[in-house]
Amino acid sequence: MADQWHRQSAPEPERLGGTATRGQTASPELIWQERLQKMMQDAEQNLPDGALTAGYKADPREIVALLQRAQAGEWSSFLQYWHHFFMASDLASAEIREVFKDHAEDEYEHARMFGERIQQLGGVPCDKPEDIAHFSPMPTEYNHDLRSMLEADLIGERQTIDFYEEIIRTCGFADNATRRLFEHALEEEVQHADELATILFAYDASTGKQIPTMHEELVKIAQERGQPQKMARRAS
Ligand SMILES: [Fe+2]
Ligand SMILES: [Fe+2]
């Protein structure tokens, strides 16, 4: 029915400025009329491809491969945050525990939307545990002391930010739908990283010096327990 309507309602090229003759430049209206007619012809072909249309300009195999890795990373992050939520069970960690839970829920949603996009592009979502372990850009960290948990989560977020920046550049305007998904996820990963860094580090803006924070407390506890220093701090 929509097909019929389009064909019956489409204005004739003459009404839109006429067909260009030799030496004349075609009017924008005519150019768009022809483009739209071509799009309609293309849309009628390859119907089983669903949302993957003739106008798709990226290489779907490359985009699916990137989406699968990103989805594996999201499942890995989800598991890591969820594990940390369970393990940060002491009273002093109550607020941070909620941060872990909020982030876990965000990563679950990212994994869901990447899986949906993979299916739209004709691929298979990366949901099997062995595939997640193989394709995730970072290993899942199962830490049990608060400082290690926060540091591992922050490092994971920072790597994800760089990965998604690259994916967004790769999509460009060739795959706008995928690019917008990653732009949305990137915004949330940036918030995650900033929240974690704020918990771990804080600076006095007037002096530029680090002020005592939970990180200092955690460093002290780690030193008392003889745990190794493995975290580089942000520039002071
Ligand atoms: Fe995420
Ligand atoms: Fe995140």
Side-chain angles (χ1 to χ4, degrees):
M1 185 58 78
D3 200 17
Q4 263 182 349
W5 177 87
H6 178 92
R7 285 179 179 158
Q8 287 170 1
S9 306
E12 294 300 319
E14 285 70 18
R15 285 177 52 208
L16 291 162
T19 306
T21 55
R22 189 185 295 268
Q24 280 185 317
T25 308
S27 70
E29 289 85 355
L30 179 58
I31 291 168
W32 275 104
Q33 180 64 25
E34 288 172 354
R35 282 183 185 171
L36 288 165
Q37 281 172 351
K38 173 77 168 59
M39 287 177 205
M40 176 54 72
Q41 287 164 6
D42 289 341
E44 290 169 346
Q45 310 297 315
N46 304 316
L47 291 182
D49 286 350
L52 188 56
T53 60
Y56 185 78
K57 303 293 184 198
D59 176 353
R61 288 165 305 178
E62 181 186 14
I63 301 299
V64 163
L66 289 170
L67 277 159
Q68 287 169 327
R69 280 171 172 75
Q71 195 198 17
E74 291 293 346
W75 284 135
S76 171
S77 298
F78 165 75
L79 291 170
Q80 186 169 309
Y81 275 123
W82 205 234
H83 187 75
H84 291 172
F85 166 72
F86 286 127
M87 296 312 295
S89 57
D90 58 303
L91 278 177
S93 308
E95 277 182 41
I96 294 174
R97 203 169 188 241
E98 288 308 305
V99 171
F100 290 150
K101 187 172 175 228
D102 289 347
H103 288 195
E105 287 170 355
D106 288 344
E107 312 307 11
Y108 174 89
E109 180 57 19
H110 298 164
R112 186 202 63 73
M113 65 188 197
F114 292 164
E116 196 170 86
R117 185 64 184 146
I118 290 167
Q119 184 277 329
Q120 290 169 357
L121 292 173
V124 177
C126 187
D127 297 318
K128 292 180 185 169
E130 61 269 30
D131 290 342
I132 293 169
H134 182 71
F135 288 109
S136 174
M138 77 286 285
T140 311
E141 300 269 357
Y142 295 100
N143 298 295
H144 292 169
D145 70 273
L146 200 55
R147 180 172 163 240
S148 300
M149 293 185 212
L150 290 163
E151 286 178 357
D153 293 340
L154 178 55
I155 291 166
E157 293 289 355
R158 284 161 57 82
Q159 192 207 23
T160 304
I161 288 168
D162 282 352
F163 186 32
Y164 290 0
E165 292 273 16
E166 283 290 321
I167 293 177
I168 289 166
R169 281 190 280 272
T170 301
C171 288
F173 291 115
D175 183 340
N176 294 303
T178 304
R179 189 193 73 243
R180 291 185 65 177
L181 288 185
F182 279 98
E183 284 172 345
H184 169 72
L186 174 64
E187 208 177 308
E188 296 197 333
E189 311 305 6
V190 166
Q191 284 172 1
H192 293 172
D194 194 58
E195 281 171 18
L196 295 166
T198 303
I199 293 168
L200 278 167
F201 309 97
Y203 287 84
D204 182 334
S206 60
T207 63
K209 289 188 177 165
Q210 190 170 348
I211 55 179
T213 61
M214 173 167 287
H215 180 260
E216 301 303 303
E217 289 301 310
L218 295 170
V219 167
K220 251 188 256 170
I221 294 168
Q223 282 169 344
E224 282 163 16
R225 292 180 184 171
Q227 290 171 348
Q229 298 290 305
K230 65 170 187 175
M231 178 74 183
R233 293 188 188 180
R234 285 202 291 189
S236 57

